[in-house]
Amino acid sequence: MILFWLFSAIQSWGYVSGLNLLGAPYDFRYGPSTHFNKRLKALIEEGFVQSGGQPVTILSHSMGGIMAHFFLKQQNQAWKDRYVRELISLSTPWKGSLAMLHAAISGYTWGFSRGVNTLAIRNVQRNSESAFALLPTNRN
């Protein structure tokens, strides 16, 4: 719901989907991949060209913030200076998530428990590549 509101607000500021408002959907079950990073890099470069050579703003949400940060760490400084103005991350679990700890131990249904076997979902959650990036941490 909040993402729909945010998308609507951004469009009301004059951004046009497919022109200067581009999206890079990310499947949170997977860890960072070379394939996703290649697509994201091409999308950022496309946005740069479409904006007349202006560096782009990367807006991420939730796990997307961690993946965007990982992506940017893989790029050299000259590329970032040319193509990226800033990274804005919304609701990114930078220090991990207790919900993921719950999911790894006993399965967590995020409120959708009717008819869901938590032990079955636990196996899926334990095998999601991104799960370990969400375990709570004190790293900086």
Side-chain angles (χ1 to χ4, degrees):
M1 181 71 155
I2 191 165
L3 289 180
F4 176 76
W5 172 86
L6 180 62
F7 185 74
S8 298
I10 290 171
Q11 285 184 317
S12 75
W13 303 333
Y15 289 90
V16 178
S17 182
L19 178 63
N20 54 9
L21 179 59
L22 307 172
Y26 170 75
D27 187 333
F28 71 91
R29 295 172 298 175
Y30 299 105
S33 72
T34 303
H35 178 69
F36 177 77
N37 285 349
K38 285 181 184 176
R39 289 188 358 239
L40 181 57
K41 188 172 188 176
L43 186 67
I44 290 169
E45 291 173 355
E46 176 187 340
F48 175 84
V49 169
Q50 287 182 216
S51 69
Q54 294 296 313
V56 304
T57 295
I58 300 171
L59 177 64
S60 65
H61 177 260
S62 191
M63 188 69 182
I66 293 172
M67 294 302 118
H69 181 254
F70 178 81
F71 165 78
L72 290 171
K73 286 177 66 174
Q74 307 306 307
Q75 309 312 309
N76 65 51
Q77 192 60 48
W79 186 90
K80 291 185 279 192
D81 289 344
R82 179 172 186 193
Y83 292 105
V84 180
R85 178 177 175 216
E86 61 194 338
L87 167 62
I88 299 172
S89 91
L90 304 173
S91 300
T92 298
W94 293 113
K95 293 290 191 175
S97 168
L98 287 176
M100 197 62 234
L101 188 58
H102 183 175
I105 293 170
S106 60
Y108 186 57
T109 62
W110 280 268
F112 299 101
S113 59
R114 186 183 309 185
V116 176
N117 180 332
T118 56
L119 295 180
I121 198 77
R122 177 185 67 183
N123 290 334
V124 172
Q125 293 163 334
R126 284 181 176 176
N127 289 299
S128 294
E129 294 173 8
S130 65
F132 298 100
L134 287 176
L135 291 175
T137 181
N138 64 359
R139 70 180 179 268
N140 291 326

